[in-house]
């Protein structure tokens, strides 16, 4: 085809939305995340036809159907594997993985581990609602101990996994956390995730209105938020509660402590260095409500991505020798029968 | 490197020490650390260079280094070669080389009565005899009377021959296999030069080992010459086989599949993506391809079988010729993802190197018991084409055929091979790339009319294949997935009539492939008659030889061998009904038999073997005779 294809630039959030009716429960946190993503896309300087959304199975995994991009709704837990093939086959594509706590950390935990350790260049958004929604409310691997559900009527006995700790433990180079309702902050986190070349892991606390409503209220409730949330910014002191409190590193116990900040004296408060993995681990591990919940980019220390390394290998091979298939067929010991 | 084939060595006139044969079966057996597979492989090469036709059967344990001297640690390599057409590794060895008591004990039952045993008496000490559960020394107690026995201290001879190099005892004894190979070369009048060249290459970085191995090889050969003077050793002479002129090399099935995949990439004009996870006996394909990156091949060693196929599906969607490969247990793990490839109608080649099952089963032994799994083994109505390879060399063309069907019909294709084919070697007349018809892929790139939404399930009215659109193509954004989609729009659609229509369409597409594959031919014999033997896969060799043998004795028997297991060739039912009786030998409990009965309502009778060993010609011959007499 010789005709020049006209591409209408997708500059508005609506340009990134399909005509499909969104089928999440009314009030589901997924709507807010979809909105934030559609608002962020026009600001990333990317085109819908070079953008790919890949999901597994679960409520969150319906996401690709609502994005006017290329999309693949795969099978339970396996989105990282399909994303790996897509990115290796065409590294020019901008790949987003949408998963949930069950999809990504239970049935797909193994793939998540290897995706992160390989550092495939993609953005992975894990919608954490601490419950299995689509299968009607069973406890999930992130559910808190004691969670009552159809499969744990007397309360679950298991310890939950912390998604960000998992990502760091797997060797993740970019780990961030946000909240479905944080419409101001989430686009900033998404932009940072997109800018990072490698696996950008973003945990999003997402409220399931039907099976786990209000599970995050203790720290998402608006009035309490300044006291219960700490938004981290690289190079800035770790302050919350309107700048009246901060986090201090006790050099003797090597633990974080909450300190009062008076008269703007932040000398005790540590400065967020997002390349510091040890501190990132502490931030993720802070118990609530003794500490606020750490949000924003918790860790970012880029390293070479898997697809880049693979591309370099191919470029080297392509430059090294001309591939002669007939010569390949004759490689090794051969003999002529006359 | 091409070497011209030499005229067969001088027949030797009336010398009783030189035996003229049409074909000989030799079996090398030793401890899994003795290097028997290497010895066999090099003997194969020398046999090929001598112009004989050949077939091999590497038969090794699942343990990498089982405890030395034990019965379960025995590794064997069998080769059948001759001046006639060779289709199998041979029913019964004529010569057994036994490197220790355990090798003798486990392999003796196969040896033809009157056959020759060559044993390393140096290894028949009390300790090794005990490990092999021998009460006395079989080399001395007369129990080997029914065979010819040549026992001498190969270990000692080897140590003597490498003495000048000052190797430690362990390293020196490692040269035993080369000493033995040298003796075998003498026995069959073979040229040592190609093997000496090979050793020079193999030990290029270690002159000491290079020279020691060459010395051991020469010493084994010299021992034959000396022993010949003394009396007991005999030499065999075989004329070169009468084969089609051309350039030849030996290939294993795994190598031929790797080459076939590269060819598939070249013929389709697509980069190739191979997702694999280590599993016996399929890993050899991944090993071979990992070295071929310059042919636009990406190999990805995934974290598990599911990830291997997941990545392949992703690469297929992105526009690559995608391949995944495993063995039965791994294919079982991939099954859900195969369903996804069926549902999204993406091209994908899935290779199953079958092994003994179920579960872990017999990892290093052969079986054909995954036919049901290939044809039926998925949830939902999930049809896909299934192709079977029949021999190592045949793997090349069968693989190209699998690639062709995948991209021409936008469907996953299962390619069935097995452990025997994967590891066995045979001579292969090297084709030219230009011998094959290219099947270039044209991606759909034209956007729909202004305002219209693109339907990824827009189909070719003839073949029903859907369009292949690569992500990255402007104006054709679409979503695919495992959930049922509308025939008309490609959007999610659970409605009753739509699911009926999509299921019917997926079936009709795969059924319709029967119109685009070759009609079933008869391998040997007439296209009608009292009896046809129907096979698939690696039973090709023994079936063909059994049928040919009976035909030379005047029996009207035919051989039909099926490559396209699903869909079956359009003429097959009509062809089978032209015979009075149908015999289906399979290394399973009757899977193709069931398929043929189901599809054609014919009275196919099974002949089954699931011992982990290939059929013998004699077993099939006996079954045919019994059926003819009935």
């Amino acid at each position: 085809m010789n005709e020049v294809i006209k591409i209408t630039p997708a500059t508005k959030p609506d340009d990134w939305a399909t005509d499909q009716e969104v089928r999440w429960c009314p009030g589901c946190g997924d709507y807010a995340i979809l909105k934030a993503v559609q608002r962020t896309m026009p600001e990333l300087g990317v085109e819908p036809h070079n953008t790919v959304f890949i999901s597994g199975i679960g409520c969150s995994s319906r996401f690709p159907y609502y994005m006017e991009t290329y999309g693949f709704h795969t099978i339970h837990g396996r989105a990282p594997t399909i994303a790996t093939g897509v990115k290796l086959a065409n590294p020019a594509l901008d790949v987003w993985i949408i998963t949930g706590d069950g999809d990504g950390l239970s049935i797909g935990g193994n793939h998540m581990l290897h995706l992160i350790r390989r550092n495939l260049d993609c953005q992975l958004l894990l919608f954490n609602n601490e419950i299995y929604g689509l299968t009607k409310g069973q406890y999930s691997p992130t559910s808190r101990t004691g969670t009552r559900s159809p499969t744990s009527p007397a309360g679950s006995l298991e310890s939950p996994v912390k998604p960000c700790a998992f990502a760091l433990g797997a060797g993740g180079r970019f780990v961030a956390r946000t909240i479905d309702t944080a419409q101001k902050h989430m686009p900033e986190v998404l932009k940072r995730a997109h800018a990072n070349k490698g696996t950008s892991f973003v945990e999003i606390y997402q409220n399931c209105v039907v099976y786990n409503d209000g599970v995050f209220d203790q720290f998402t409730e608006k009035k309490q938020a300044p006291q219960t949330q700490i938004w981290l910014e690289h190079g800035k002191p770790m302050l919350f509660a309107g700048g009246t409190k901060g986090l201090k590193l006790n050099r003797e116990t090597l633990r974080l402590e909450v300190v009062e900040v008076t008269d703007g004296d932040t000398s005790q408060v540590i400065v967020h260095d997002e390349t510091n993995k040890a501190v990132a681990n502490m931030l993720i591990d802070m118990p609530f409500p003794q500490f606020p919940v750490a949000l924003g980019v918790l860790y970012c220390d880029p390293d070479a991505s898997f697809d880049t390394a693979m591309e370099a290998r191919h470029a080297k091979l392509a430059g090294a020798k001309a591939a002669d298939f007939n010569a390949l067929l004759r490689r090794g010991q051969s003999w002529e029968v006359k | 490197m091409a070497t011209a084939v030499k005229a067969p060595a001088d027949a030797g006139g009336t010398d009783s020490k030189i035996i003229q044969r049409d074909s000989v079966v030799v079996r090398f057996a030793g401890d899994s650390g003795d290097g028997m597979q290497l010895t066999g492989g090099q003997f194969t090469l020398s046999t090929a260079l001598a112009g004989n036709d050949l077939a091999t059967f590497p038969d090794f344990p699942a343990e990498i280094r089982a405890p030395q001297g034990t019965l379960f640690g025995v590794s064997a390599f069998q080769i059948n070669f001759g001046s006639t057409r060779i289709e199998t590794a041979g029913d019964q060895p004529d010569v057994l080389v036994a490197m220790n008591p355990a090798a003798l004990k486990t392999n003796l039952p196969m040896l033809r009565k009157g056959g020759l045993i060559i044993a390393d008496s140096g290894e028949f000490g009390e300790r090794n005899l005990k490990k092999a559960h021998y009460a006395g020394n079989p080399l001395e107690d007369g129990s080997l009377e029914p065979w010819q026995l040549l026992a001498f201290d190969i270990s000692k001879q080897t140590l003597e021959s490498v003495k000048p190099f000052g190797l430690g005892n362990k390293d020196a004894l490692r040269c035993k296999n080369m000493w033995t190979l040298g003796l075998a070369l003498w026995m069959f009048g073979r040229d040592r030069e190609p093997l000496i060249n090979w050793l020079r290459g193999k030990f290029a970085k270690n002159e000491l080992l290079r020279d020691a191995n060459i010395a051991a090889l020469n010493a084994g050969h010299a021992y034959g010459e000396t022993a010949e003077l003394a009396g007991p050793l005999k030499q065999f002479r075989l004329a070169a086989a009468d084969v089609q002129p051309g350039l030849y090399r030996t290939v294993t099935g795994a190598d031929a599949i790797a080459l076939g995949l590269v060819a598939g990439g070249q013929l389709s004009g697509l980069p190739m993506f191979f997702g694999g996870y280590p599993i016996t006996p399929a890993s050899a394909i991944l090993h071979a391809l990992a070295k071929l990156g310059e042919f636009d091949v990406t190999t990805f060693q995934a974290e598990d079988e599911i990830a291997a196929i997941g990545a392949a599906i992703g690469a297929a969607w992105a526009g690559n010729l995608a391949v995944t490969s495993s063995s039965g247990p791994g294919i079982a793990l991939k099954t859900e993802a195969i369903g996804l490839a069926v549902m999204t109608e993406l091209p994908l080649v899935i290779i199953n190197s079958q092994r003994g099952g179920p579960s872990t089963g017999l990892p290093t032994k052969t079986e054909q018991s995954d036919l049901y799994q290939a044809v039926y083994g998925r949830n939902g109505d999930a049809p896909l084409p299934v192709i079977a390879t029949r021999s190592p060399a045949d793997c090349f063309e069968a693989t190209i055929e699998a690639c062709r069907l995948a991209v021409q019909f936008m469907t996953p294709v299962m390619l069935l091979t097995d452990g025997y084919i994967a590891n066995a070697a045979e001579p292969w007349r090297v084709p030219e790339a230009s011998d094959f018809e290219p099947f270039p892929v044209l991606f759909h790139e034209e956007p729909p009319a202004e305002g219209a939404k693109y339907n990824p399930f827009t189909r070719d009215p003839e073949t029903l294949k859907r369009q292949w659109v690569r992500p990255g193509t402007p104006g054709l954004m679409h979503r695919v997935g495992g959930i049922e989609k509308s025939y008309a729009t490609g959007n999610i659609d659970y409605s009753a009539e739509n699911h009926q229509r999509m299921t019917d369409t997926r079936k009709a597409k795969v059924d319709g492939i029967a119109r685009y594959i070759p009609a079933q031919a008869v391998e040997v014999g007439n296209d009608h008659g009292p009896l046809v033997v129907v096979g698939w896969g690696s039973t090709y060799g023994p079936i063909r030889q059994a049928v040919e043998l009976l035909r030379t004795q005047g029996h009207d028997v035919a051989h039909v061998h099926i490559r396209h297991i699903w869909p079956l060739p359009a003429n097959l039912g009509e062809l089978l009904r032209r015979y009075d009786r149908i015999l289906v030998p399979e290394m399973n409990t009757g899977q193709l038999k069931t398929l043929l009965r189901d599809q054609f309502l014919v009275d196919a009778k099974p002949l089954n073997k699931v011992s982990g060993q290939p059929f013998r010609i004699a077993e099939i011959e006996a079954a045919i005779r019994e059926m003819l007499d009935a």
Side-chain angles (χ1 to χ4, degrees), chain A residues 232-308:
Chain A
L232 300 157
E233 271 186 83
H234 183 60
K236 299 209 170 143
M238 296 187 189
L239 294 169
F240 66 107
T244 62
K245 287 180 184 175
L247 296 178
K248 173 193 165 183
L249 180 69
N250 183 323
R251 280 157 206 264
E252 279 177 19
T253 62
L254 290 180
R255 287 168 197 266
L256 294 176
E257 288 172 359
V258 173
V259 291
E260 302 287 336
V261 175
T262 45
D263 302 332
D265 175 14
T266 60
S267 55
Q268 298 187 81
V269 178
I270 61 166
V271 170
H272 184 46
D273 172 2
E274 62 187 19
T275 66
N276 188 328
K277 195 169 178 177
V279 173
N281 265 310
M282 291 184 207
L283 290 167
I284 292 164
D285 252 355
M286 290 190 300
F288 185 86
Q290 299 91 317
F291 286 86
V293 172
L295 298 161
V297 178
L298 308 179
Y299 180 68
C300 177
D301 187 16
D303 195 10
S305 75
F306 181 42
D307 44 294
T308 311

Side-chain angles (χ1 to χ4, degrees), chain A residues 62 69-70 329 334-335 337, chain B residues 1 246 248-249 473 479 494:
Chain A
R62 287 295 184 98
T69 63
Y70 283 93
L329 292 177
S334 59
W335 65 95
V337 174
Chain B
M1 185 172 76
Y248 283 77
R249 60 178 283 188
T473 310
R479 274 64 55 192
Y494 306 145

Side-chain angles (χ1 to χ4, degrees), chain B residues 418-429:
Chain B
D418 64 39
Y420 171 67
I421 294 176
N423 291 308
E426 68 178 3
W428 179 43
R429 190 166 169 271

Side-chain angles (χ1 to χ4, degrees), chain A residues 33 36 125-128 164 175-190 201-206 216 219-220 229 231 293-298:
Chain A
I33 302 171
L125 312 187
L126 185 141
F127 298 12
N128 182 10
C164 288
V175 178
R177 190 151 65 185
T178 182
I179 302 172
D180 53 7
T181 50
Q183 289 296 309
K184 192 169 133 253
H185 285 104
M186 200 193 309
E188 297 312 309
V189 169
L190 296 177
F201 181 91
V202 182
E203 178 190 6
I204 306 172
Y205 290 120
Q206 174 252 320
F216 305 121
F219 63 88
T220 56
Q229 302 176 1
W231 286 89
V293 172
L295 298 161
V297 178
L298 308 179

Side-chain angles (χ1 to χ4, degrees), chain B residues 212-531:
Chain B
N213 275 288
I214 293 172
L217 183 85
N218 286 332
H221 194 270
Y223 185 88
E225 286 172 340
T226 322
E228 183 192 18
L229 298 173
L233 262 180
K234 292 192 172 66
Q235 278 187 296
F236 295 84
R237 286 294 180 271
L238 295 92
D242 183 19
V243 294
Q244 197 185 354
L247 186 76
Y248 283 77
R249 60 178 283 188
T250 60
V251 277
T252 63
D255 284 340
I257 285 178
L259 292 171
L261 289 173
V262 174
Q266 307 263 315
L267 295 167
S268 62
L270 300 179
M272 199 240 290
F273 182 95
F274 185 98
Y277 181 76
I279 184 169
T280 302
S283 302
I285 301 169
L286 176 55
H287 299 174
L289 282 169
K291 295 179 210 147
L292 301 178
E294 71 265 31
F295 291 93
D296 219 349
V297 172
T298 299
T299 51
F300 172 59
Q301 181 180 315
E303 59 270 26
D304 62 23
E305 296 285 1
I306 298 169
I309 188 171
I313 290 172
W317 187 49
N320 280 8
L321 175 65
V323 186
T324 190
S325 154
S326 190
S327 189
I331 299 293
L333 282 165
K334 294 179 196 291
T335 300
E336 186 191 13
I338 296 173
L340 178 67
V342 169
M343 198 64 162
T344 51
E345 300 187 45
L346 284 168
L348 176 66
V349 176
I350 305 148
I351 303 163
N352 181 356
S353 298
Q354 298 167 95
R355 66 190 212 187
S359 187
T360 305
L362 311 175
T364 61
K365 305 294 177 194
T366 198
E367 213 164 272
Q368 305 179 287
S369 45
D370 297 345
L371 185 144
Y372 287 161
Q373 183 192 41
V375 177
Y376 302 118
R378 288 164 292 284
N379 63 306
D381 285 300
L384 54 78
V386 179
I387 294 175
T389 67
R390 61 167 64 160
S391 73
D394 178 62
C395 283
F396 183 71
E397 283 186 36
T399 304
I400 292 174
E401 177 73 345
C403 295
R404 179 183 77 88
L405 293 185
V407 299
Q408 287 192 339
F409 295 89
M410 291 292 283
T411 177
V413 176
M414 184 84 76
L415 180 67
L416 293 176
T417 178
D418 64 39
Y420 171 67
I421 294 176
N423 291 308
E426 68 178 3
W428 179 43
R429 190 166 169 271
V430 182
E432 292 284 334
S434 58
D435 293 348
F436 297 89
E437 182 86 19
F439 41 90
V441 168
L442 292 174
F443 293 105
H444 181 75
E445 293 182 340
E446 194 180 318
E450 187 77 34
K453 293 282 178 191
Y454 175 64
N455 173 14
F457 289 95
T458 308
R459 293 176 189 279
D460 178 288
E462 281 295 311
T463 62
L464 298 177
K465 78 158 175 175
R466 77 172 184 92
Q467 293 173 339
W468 195 359
V469 173
R470 285 173 295 182
T473 310
L476 289 171
M477 284 82 75
H478 65 268
R479 274 64 55 192
V480 293
I483 219 166
E484 187 65 284
K485 299 296 187 297
S486 161
Y487 185 95
T489 67
N491 292 323
I492 294 178
D493 188 344
Y494 306 145
S495 71
E497 60 278 19
N498 181 68
H499 181 55
Q500 183 75 54
R501 187 172 189 194
M502 285 299 265
T503 303
D504 292 346
T505 304
R506 286 186 287 265
K507 180 179 188 311
K509 180 178 86 169
V510 172
D511 287 348
I513 292 172
R515 302 196 305 269
Y516 301 89
I517 58 174
Q520 183 62 53
V522 179
E523 285 299 317
V524 181
N526 300 319
D527 64 0
H528 61 280
L531 196 158

Side-chain angles (χ1 to χ4, degrees), chain A residues 179 181 216-226 228-229:
Chain A
I179 302 172
T181 50
F216 305 121
D217 277 2
Q218 279 179 299
F219 63 88
T220 56
E221 204 273 314
K222 272 221 170 99
K223 274 188 198 154
Q224 293 295 320
T228 56
Q229 302 176 1

